[in-house]
């Protein structure tokens, strides 16, 4: 089984191919399988192993490792990311190379103990600025957390100008030719991986890029998919483009963005949505949008929510619940960053009207801020109920621009049904 | 049941709560921008500032004290890592904790009237 292995004269790929993988981590499809990339770095005073592979692929990993190093030479083991597909062979590797020191990021320490339940596991926590010498080669660490776990980091070998980037710049694509200039067209896999893995962490991507962009790069060696040795900077630039908010880049007049989503069976929740927009429109400095959930697939709406400052969701109550298109939208927020955004709910009902409360609970569960209690209307909104909707829209708008009214309430209003 | 008033200064909402209620149980529901994460006193994300009435809140446990210490260290390290005087001045202005008592929202219980705010 020959696989292209030499990244440079001193750095070899010793990972594993998994061409049969089709669903990764529940959330990702992998139509061409994946690779678990592990690397062997040779210095004049010892060898470093960067990441391991999934336990099921241990045979491939140890067989390749043995082609390039003896276990006795291994001085350092670096885990850039602790997920089991990279840490799976760690216990066995430590058994075979007991003299090796293990390096993980500072935030990896607790996770490591939970993952490798082994007494006396020794490791050295490292962060940006720390380095380990292998004689004539050096491992330099970059603290790049939340890409896509709290523990993630990158490791750079300046003498070889190679960045071991962990899952950053990776993708699920299995091709034994291994290098981006030799493998098939993997653009789809690269973009898909960013959208499903890195997207909720765009801010952290930008922080990491600030550390990565100044590096002199001959190649980026990620932990999945092709090794990027042909124009590695293009991939760095693409990450910056993907992580930078678009709306603010295209039209930034300082307005705060409020989107009102609704779905309506008899037009009552729609009337409420319109009144809420009218109310919010009285507040200056807002960019307001109104969307009927019936009129669009979910994905483009999620794109809008990603860059919005606030969202309101209107749903009728049917059989004691909000309706499916509302839950479809809400269940898609896991793929973007919504924590801290302002949110609220409203809706008309005929019988019991649970939807508003259930939506609010979900919004809070997503760590969004729900500053104004939602409006419920029994069936057709009367004039004063329309005014209550306008009020609701205006209050949310005022909260959004930092102009809140002073309120005094009892805790029971917060815990019982609105 | 004995009651106490907690004001969330960032959203201008005062809530009357049963004595013993934890700050996090209220802050989330009024939309105050106190962040939170682990809810177990371990991560420090929910650190907030006590504006008034510190004596009316539960005393911090050893766990909370250790996490607060870690958070203070990280804030100071964050300042250290900045490379210009202006950036350090701006960061210190942003999270200058001088004179403010900080606590963890997931740990702190309300025993009497107080005013709290995000950092």
């Amino acid at each position: 089984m020959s696989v292209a292995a030499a990244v440079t004269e001193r750095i070899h790929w010793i990972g594993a191919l998994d061409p049969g993988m089709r669903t990764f981590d529940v959330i990702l499809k992998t139509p061409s399988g994946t690779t678990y990339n592990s690397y062997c770095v040779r210095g004049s005073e010892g060898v470093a192993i960067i990441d391991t592979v999934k336990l099921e692929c241990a045979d491939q990993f140890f067989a390749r490792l043995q082609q390039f190093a003896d276990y006795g030479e291994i001085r350092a083991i670096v885990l850039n990311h602790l997920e089991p597909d990279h840490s799976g062979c760690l216990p066995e590797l430590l058994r075979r190379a007991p003299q090796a020191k293990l390096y993980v990021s500072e935030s990896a320490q607790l996770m490591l103990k939970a993952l490798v339940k082994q007494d006396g596991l020794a490791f050295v926590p490292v962060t940006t600025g720390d380095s380990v010498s292998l004689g004539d080669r050096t491992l330099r660490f970059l603290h790049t957390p939340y890409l896509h776990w709290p523990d993630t980091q990158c490791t750079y070998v300046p003498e070889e100008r190679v960045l071991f980037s962990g899952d950053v710049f990776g993708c699920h694509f299995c091709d034994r030719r291994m290098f981006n200039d030799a493998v098939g067209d993997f653009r789809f896999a690269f973009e898909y991986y960013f959208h499903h893995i890195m997207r909720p962490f765009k801010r952290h991507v930008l922080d990491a890029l600030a550390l990565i962009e100044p590096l002199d790069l001959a190649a980026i060696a990620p932990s999945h998919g092709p090794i990027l040795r042909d124009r590695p900077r293009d991939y760095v630039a693409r990450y910056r483009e993907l992580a930078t908010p678009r709306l603010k880049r295209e039209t930034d007049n300082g307005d705060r963005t409020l989107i009102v989503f609704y779905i309506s069976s008899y037009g009552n929740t729609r009337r409420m949505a319109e009144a809420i927009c009218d109310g919010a429109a009285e507040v200056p400095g807002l960019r307001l949008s109104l969307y009927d959930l019936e009129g669009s697939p979910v994905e483009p709406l999620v794109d809008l929510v990603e860059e919005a400052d606030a969202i309101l969701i209107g749903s009728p109550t049917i059989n004691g619940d909000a309706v499916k298109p509302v839950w479809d939208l809400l269940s898609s927020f896991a793929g973007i960053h919504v924590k801290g955004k302002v949110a609220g709910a409203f809706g008309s009902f005929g019988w019991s009207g649970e939807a508003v409360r259930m939506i609010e609970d979900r919004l809070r569960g997503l760590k969004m801020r729900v500053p104004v209690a939602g409006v419920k209307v029994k069936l057709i909104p009367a004039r004063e109920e329309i005014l209550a909707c306008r009020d609701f829209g205006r209050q949310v708008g005022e909260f959004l621009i930092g102009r809140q009214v002073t309120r005094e309430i009892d805790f029971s209003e917060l815990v019982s049904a609105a | 049941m004995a009651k106490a008033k907690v004001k969330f200064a960032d959203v201008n909402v005062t809530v009357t709560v049963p004595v013993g209620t934890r700050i996090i149980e209220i802050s989330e529901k009024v939309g105050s921008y106190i962040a939170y994460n682990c809810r177990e006193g371990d991560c420090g994300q929910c650190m907030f500032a006590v504006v008034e009435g510190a004596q009316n809140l539960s005393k911090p446990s050893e766990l909370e004290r250790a996490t607060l210490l870690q958070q203070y260290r990280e804030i100071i390290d964050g300042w250290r890592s900045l490379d210009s005087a202006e950036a350090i001045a701006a960061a210190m202005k942003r999270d200058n904790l001088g004179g403010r008592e900080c606590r963890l929202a997931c740990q702190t219980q309300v025993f009497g009237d107080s005013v709290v705010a995000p950092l």
Side-chain angles (χ1 to χ4, degrees), chain A residues 110 146 339-340 364-371 399 404-412 414-415, chain B residues 3 5 10-18 21 25-26 28-33 35-37 42:
Chain A
L110 283 177
Y146 300 105
K339 183 174 166 181
R364 285 191 198 105
L366 289 163
K367 300 178 184 176
M368 299 176 88
R369 312 166 67 190
V370 183
F399 181 85
Q404 315 96 352
V405 278
T406 305
R407 283 191 299 147
E408 258 196 58
I409 54 176
D410 191 81
F411 192 51
S412 59
L414 297 175
V415 289
Chain B
K3 301 271 183 163
K5 284 186 176 183
D10 63 323
V11 287
N12 259 332
V13 179
T14 304
V15 191
T16 308
V17 298
T21 307
E25 296 175 61
I26 326 161
E28 285 180 58
K29 298 196 171 75
V30 297
S32 170
Y33 201 29
Y36 56 94
N37 206 350
D42 203 32

Side-chain angles (χ1 to χ4, degrees), chain A residues 12-132:
Chain A
H12 287 84
W13 178 84
I14 53 167
L17 304 175
D18 190 356
M21 163 74 69
R22 287 295 172 268
T23 301
F24 191 88
D25 257 12
V26 186
I27 58 170
L28 281 172
K29 289 294 169 194
T30 53
S32 63
T34 192
T35 68
Y36 312 103
N37 299 342
S38 170
Y39 302 91
C40 172
V41 182
R42 178 167 291 280
S44 59
E45 290 168 26
V47 161
I49 304 298
I50 315 286
D51 293 324
T52 75
V53 306
K54 192 172 152 176
L55 186 57
E56 288 77 356
C57 301
D59 292 350
Q60 284 190 59
F61 169 66
F62 288 112
R64 289 203 176 94
L65 193 160
Q66 287 161 26
Q67 289 174 24
F68 297 103
D70 294 326
Y71 293 110
E73 294 180 293
I74 300 174
R75 186 166 161 172
I77 299 167
V78 177
L79 284 186
N80 282 330
H81 176 26
L82 296 183
E83 211 171 349
D85 53 328
H86 307 298
S87 62
C89 292
L90 178 71
E92 178 60 17
L93 180 59
L94 284 169
R95 206 183 58 76
R96 296 188 189 195
Q99 76 289 345
K101 269 198 173 163
L102 172 62
Y103 298 91
V104 297
S105 76
E106 289 188 336
S107 24
Q109 301 176 69
L110 283 177
M111 283 183 148
L112 183 66
K113 287 176 187 157
L115 212 54
V116 183
K117 298 201 164 151
Q118 183 177 308
D119 287 338
L121 176 69
F123 56 88
V124 183
V126 290
T127 187
T128 306
D130 291 341
S131 61
V132 170

Side-chain angles (χ1 to χ4, degrees), chain A residues 343-345 360 369-375 391-392 395-396 399 407, chain B residues 30:
Chain A
E360 285 180 338
R369 312 166 67 190
V370 183
V372 187
V375 195
D391 235 32
F392 174 70
Q395 278 182 46
V396 172
F399 181 85
R407 283 191 299 147
Chain B
V30 297

Side-chain angles (χ1 to χ4, degrees), chain A residues 318-398:
Chain A
I318 297 182
N319 295 338
D321 197 355
V323 296
K324 187 167 182 296
V326 166
W327 292 125
D328 287 345
L329 178 69
L330 286 166
S331 70
S332 306
F333 288 0
I336 56 172
H337 181 91
V338 293
K339 183 174 166 181
K341 288 185 195 292
V342 171
F346 60 93
S348 156
F349 67 98
W351 200 343
S352 46
E354 291 89 343
V356 171
R357 196 34 217 307
M358 292 170 100
I359 296 170
E360 285 180 338
D361 282 347
R362 175 68 184 146
L363 295 169
R364 285 191 198 105
L366 289 163
K367 300 178 184 176
M368 299 176 88
R369 312 166 67 190
V370 183
V372 187
V375 195
K376 284 165 55 174
V377 168
K378 194 165 173 84
L379 292 169
I380 298 169
R383 203 185 118 68
E384 62 273 21
E385 287 165 327
I386 287 291
L387 289 177
C389 290
R390 288 184 75 114
D391 235 32
F392 174 70
R394 195 177 53 244
Q395 278 182 46
V396 172
E398 282 175 344

